[in-house]
Amino acid sequence: MQDDVILCDDFVAKAERRALEAGERGFRAISLYNTHGAIVVRRVDDRWSRALLGPPSGRLVSTDKRHSIFSAIPGELCVVVRRDLAAEYSAWLRENSEFVAGFPNVHDAVFGVFLNATLGGKLAAHDVGENLIHIAIPNLVNHRNDVRSSKGGWHRLGSTTFRPTAD
């Protein structure tokens, strides 16, 4: 979780319930926040959605122009991942170091590629074609827009579904 979040009321209890619900449904990675609207989100049901991997979510191109990826975790403000999956991240970063080096300023997008490659059983990051990260609806966190982003600008986008009383 990033340090510039707005939490819903009783966040810990609600996040634990959503993580349990996700586990029961077989979801191994969830986001409790989403910046994009309905154009780039496909609803799974009334409580879950997934961001589409493709325009208009925005293609990110590596510094060497050899690779491109789409944002899998739109606004990675608060991501919950199963412990066994998280434990694989360091090894994946080493195994894909050339690919990762091409995206020095988009750790959220790289993390999304890792999650989708691993969850989808893909051997290479460029083979990812479907987003397997589920987004809780309504969002349990929102982004503060009164502090500067770590990239220097101001946050302009917020959650379209956040409510302090979200469940």
Side-chain angles (χ1 to χ4, degrees):
M1 180 181 318
Q2 293 182 7
D3 62 356
D4 55 350
V5 299
I6 299 169
L7 303 175
C8 68
D9 300 338
D10 200 19
F11 171 77
V12 172
K14 291 176 181 178
E16 286 175 348
R17 282 195 301 270
R18 290 311 293 265
L20 287 171
E21 178 185 337
E24 290 168 0
R25 296 188 67 171
F27 304 161
R28 294 178 62 209
I30 62 171
S31 177
L32 302 179
Y33 173 75
N34 178 43
T35 59
H36 298 311
I39 292 174
V40 296
V41 173
R42 176 180 297 136
R43 284 282 182 134
V44 174
D45 57 34
D46 64 334
R47 294 188 49 87
W48 298 98
S49 65
R50 293 187 308 182
L52 302 177
L53 293 181
S57 69
R59 181 181 294 275
L60 303 168
V61 179
S62 63
T63 55
D64 63 6
K65 310 283 191 255
R66 293 178 48 212
H67 305 285
S68 65
I69 57 176
F70 291 102
S71 178
I73 314 173
E76 84 308 347
L77 196 60
C78 185
V79 180
V80 179
V81 179
R82 304 275 313 173
R83 185 176 298 144
D84 61 320
L85 181 59
E88 298 177 37
Y89 191 43
S90 293
W92 186 89
L93 288 171
R94 285 190 301 278
E95 292 164 8
N96 293 277
S97 61
E98 181 182 331
F99 170 81
V100 171
F103 298 95
N105 298 316
V106 287
H107 63 287
D108 54 334
V110 170
F111 188 56
V113 171
F114 155 73
L115 291 172
N116 280 311
T118 304
L119 293 172
K122 306 297 183 185
L123 296 178
H126 62 272
D127 290 335
V128 173
E130 180 182 15
N131 193 0
L132 302 173
I133 303 160
H134 288 79
I135 302 165
I137 303 295
N139 296 162
L140 300 185
V141 300
N142 203 356
H143 213 290
R144 290 180 56 187
N145 61 9
D146 60 337
V147 294
R148 284 194 176 275
S149 163
S150 60
K151 293 184 179 180
W154 293 96
H155 298 287
R156 293 185 200 103
L157 298 173
S159 167
T160 57
T161 67
F162 173 80
R163 294 185 317 272
T165 58
D167 188 31

